[in-house]
């Protein structure tokens, strides 16, 4: 079962003028944008992979972004040495 996360940082890719916001305890957040375009919403939380979602924001209205499930980072890693990889033909 997934639970809403508070404190998820929400920003708009390539639009620092919109600033950022953070999600509330219920997982929802609010952010004001200029309408009439498509934006990429970036959601970040420490220890999890960032997620990107596209949203079309109409003029004089609001838009909802689909629910997002953030995936936790793996504690173990695998070292990959590209010099040792063989080319696949």
């Amino acid at each position: 079962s997934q639970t809403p996360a508070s404190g998820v940082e929400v920003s708009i890719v390539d639009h620092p003028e919109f600033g950022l916001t953070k999600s509330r305890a219920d997982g929802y957040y609010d952010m004001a944008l200029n309408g009439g375009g498509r934006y990429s919403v970036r959601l970040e939380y420490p220890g999890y992979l960032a997620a990107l979602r596209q949203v079309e924001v109409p003029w004089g209205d609001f838009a909802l972004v689909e629910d997002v499930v953030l995936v936790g980072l793996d504690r173990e890693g695998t070292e990959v040495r590209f010099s040792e990889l063989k080319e696949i033909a």
Side-chain angles (χ1 to χ4, degrees), residues 74-82:
D74 194 340
R75 290 183 170 93
E76 294 184 31
T78 302
E79 182 178 342
V80 176
R81 296 179 188 210
F82 290 100

Side-chain angles (χ1 to χ4, degrees), residues 7-85:
V8 174
E9 187 173 286
V10 183
S11 61
I12 306 300
V13 176
D14 296 330
H15 289 280
E17 68 273 19
F18 294 138
L20 60 90
T21 190
K22 293 193 176 187
S23 63
R24 300 183 297 269
D26 62 4
Y28 286 93
Y29 58 90
D30 301 298
M31 182 171 239
L33 306 176
N34 294 325
R38 178 176 286 277
Y39 295 99
S40 293
V41 179
R42 182 177 179 90
L43 300 109
E44 298 180 89
Y45 193 75
Y48 290 81
L49 295 171
L52 293 174
R53 292 294 182 271
Q54 296 286 311
V55 62
E56 186 77 31
V57 182
W59 285 108
D61 205 351
F62 67 93
L64 298 176
V65 176
E66 292 180 33
D67 286 351
V68 173
V69 176
L70 297 177
V71 177
L73 295 172
D74 194 340
R75 290 183 170 93
E76 294 184 31
T78 302
E79 182 178 342
V80 176
R81 296 179 188 210
F82 290 100
S83 62
E84 297 176 8
L85 295 177

